[in-house]
Amino acid sequence: MNVVVVGAQWGDEGKGKIVDYLAEQAEIVVRYSGGANAGHTIVHAEETYKLHLIPSGIIYPDSVALLGAGMVIDPKALFSELETLEQQGVNWEGRVLISDRAHLVVPRYRELDVDQDRSRMQPIGTTGRGIGVAYSMKAARDGIRVVDLYDNERYARLRPEDREFLEPYRERIRPLVTDLAVYMHHARGRRVVLEGAQGVLLDLDHGTYPFVSSGYSAAGGAALGAGIGPRALDHVLGVFKAYTTRVGNGPFPTEFIPERDGELGEQIREIGQEYGVTTGRPRRCGYLDLVALRYACRVCSLDALALTHLDVYDQFDEVKLCVGYELEDETLDSFPASITALERATPVTKRFEGWKTSLSGISRYEDLPTEARAYVSFIEGFVETPVEIISVGSERESTILRRDQWTR
């Protein structure tokens, strides 16, 4: 069974924890898109793991972590991450594989990335990791694939500075390389998690273009990046937070504004520790946007949702979420493609009573306070998608499972 996990907002939704939760019962975890610009934090057995390229399932000794064809991989960042995992007691050898069709990131891409963003009329706020440039090179058919390291004719044609950077990694990468299509064909019938990067609203086609990532973040990209067809995707799970965050520039209709919302933005950021795993940048925070979430459910055909960070609201008297956008003289109930419309839109909010108690230690949905269940129930009805997993803390055990994601 192939289960896809996607971010249903602008990334940083807590996908790492949810993938980790599912990966305990999985045999293979495939990261199908993105690069070292992404970051997942996993808290497991009192150890914290910060992952950027390696799929979240790596901490389980019997699982295989596979870097898919849709990824762009910086070899230096890859081996630095593997070394850190090894220092944390994770034996990864023989369990990390890389698609021979994945693309590579070289140092000059990072330099180009920073220069390009600086020269834009409206900077995007890139992480400067060279990810966008790598995808641009890929689309221009001038990129460097993993397989090119072992094609002497192709390798000889690379720029001298690229070969100089890649040379120390050729033999280190060689034992990790696999033919993804063959591997996944033989994996039919096994439990596989397909792990996405960023979120649907950062997808190149369906996100808030041009303030998006360069890879595919929507569920449709899972099949491409994992070397399988769309009919092989059995279940799609979207992850979202009880509020919304965004990193970098771009429209954010529900962003907290001090003049309107007081110190709510700072409170949420501190309680939720909303700082980038990769960059350390503070994340922009705002109300949960149900208009955007419903859009994500539709463009990804989400079967179910996983709600994270619900416990962040434990001590609030009230909780608000967005159910529409006010734009000049009209109210929108769908997510517009226009960036200008999104930048000018203000949220129409609905108020809920806070639960004023800790959700820590709750393992059954029925044991949640009535107010928390009312909040969840309204979300389900609005987006027409069931919330089947609820996270009430960073630890793996702080998870309420309403339905087994491996049973359909």
Side-chain angles (χ1 to χ4, degrees), residues 334-353:
S334 60
F335 194 72
S338 168
I339 296 301
T340 301
L342 285 169
E343 288 174 337
R344 293 178 179 174
T346 57
V348 177
T349 59
K350 180 176 176 61
R351 178 186 178 276
F352 291 81
E353 291 289 337

Side-chain angles (χ1 to χ4, degrees), residues 2 18 41 106 125 147 152 183 186 188 200 216 234 248 257-258 260 264 266 268 286 342-343:
N2 295 319
I18 301 303
T41 299
V106 293
V147 71
N152 292 333
Y183 187 91
H186 290 300
R188 289 174 302 167
V200 177
Y216 27 73
D234 299 300
I257 300 172
R260 181 190 65 210
L264 187 56
E266 286 298 325
I268 294 293
L342 285 169
E343 288 174 337

Side-chain angles (χ1 to χ4, degrees), residues 13-36:
E13 303 93 347
K15 294 184 295 298
K17 176 187 172 176
I18 301 303
V19 171
D20 170 60
Y21 188 82
L22 297 175
E24 186 177 30
Q25 298 180 56
E27 297 169 82
I28 302 165
V29 180
V30 183
R31 169 85 178 275
Y32 62 80
S33 184

Side-chain angles (χ1 to χ4, degrees), residues 10-272:
W10 275 289
D12 307 308
E13 303 93 347
K15 294 184 295 298
K17 176 187 172 176
I18 301 303
V19 171
D20 170 60
Y21 188 82
L22 297 175
E24 186 177 30
Q25 298 180 56
E27 297 169 82
I28 302 165
V29 180
V30 183
R31 169 85 178 275
Y32 62 80
S33 184
N37 58 330
H40 295 325
T41 299
I42 298 170
V43 180
H44 187 87
E46 300 184 357
E47 183 77 55
T48 299
Y49 303 90
K50 294 188 176 183
L51 305 174
H52 303 274
L53 287 165
I54 306 298
S56 302
I58 188 62
I59 65 173
Y60 295 102
D62 296 324
S63 67
V64 173
L66 213 161
L67 282 67
M71 290 191 69
V72 288
I73 301 166
D74 181 335
K76 182 178 180 180
L78 172 66
F79 284 102
S80 174
E81 190 170 325
L82 289 173
E83 287 166 9
T84 299
L85 284 170
E86 196 168 311
Q87 291 167 6
Q88 292 182 283
V90 176
N91 182 10
W92 59 267
E93 292 193 23
R95 298 194 300 115
V96 174
L97 299 175
I98 303 174
S99 169
D100 53 8
R101 288 174 167 81
H103 279 244
L104 297 169
V105 177
V106 293
R108 64 184 172 92
Y109 290 2
R110 294 195 293 271
E111 297 166 9
L112 281 169
D113 199 357
V114 174
D115 289 344
Q116 286 179 359
D117 202 46
R118 189 184 294 122
S119 64
R120 287 187 175 102
M121 290 182 63
Q122 194 171 11
I124 293 172
T126 173
T127 60
R129 297 298 196 275
I131 307 305
V133 174
Y135 278 117
S136 296
M137 293 291 188
K138 176 180 178 178
R141 290 154 294 183
D142 197 28
I144 306 168
R145 299 187 301 166
V146 170
V147 71
D148 295 337
L149 296 175
Y150 313 107
D151 181 329
N152 292 333
E153 186 174 330
R154 291 277 300 171
Y155 189 71
R157 292 176 181 173
L158 298 181
R159 293 189 181 193
E161 65 266 36
D162 293 344
R163 289 202 308 272
E164 182 180 358
F165 169 73
L166 293 169
E167 187 62 34
Y169 299 106
R170 290 179 78 188
E171 293 309 311
R172 297 182 72 183
I173 292 176
R174 189 188 292 272
L176 313 183
V177 179
T178 190
D179 184 321
L180 183 62
V182 172
Y183 187 91
M184 293 299 290
H185 176 76
H186 290 300
R188 289 174 302 167
R190 300 172 71 182
R191 288 187 171 187
V192 181
V193 176
L194 308 180
E195 178 184 8
Q198 285 85 41
V200 177
L201 301 181
L202 290 176
D203 184 78
L204 186 59
D205 292 312
H206 297 291
T208 50
Y209 188 91
F211 299 98
V212 294
S213 183
S214 299
Y216 27 73
S217 304
L224 290 171
I228 56 179
R231 289 188 296 175
L233 304 180
D234 299 300
H235 181 64
V236 186
L237 176 68
V239 185
F240 74 105
K241 282 190 284 210
Y243 47 94
T244 309
T245 62
R246 175 161 200 170
V247 173
N249 301 329
F252 189 177
T254 66
E255 185 170 13
F256 294 131
I257 300 172
E259 294 78 16
R260 181 190 65 210
D261 307 305
E263 298 179 355
L264 187 56
E266 286 298 325
Q267 290 176 308
I268 294 293
R269 182 179 296 115
E270 292 307 313
I271 297 171

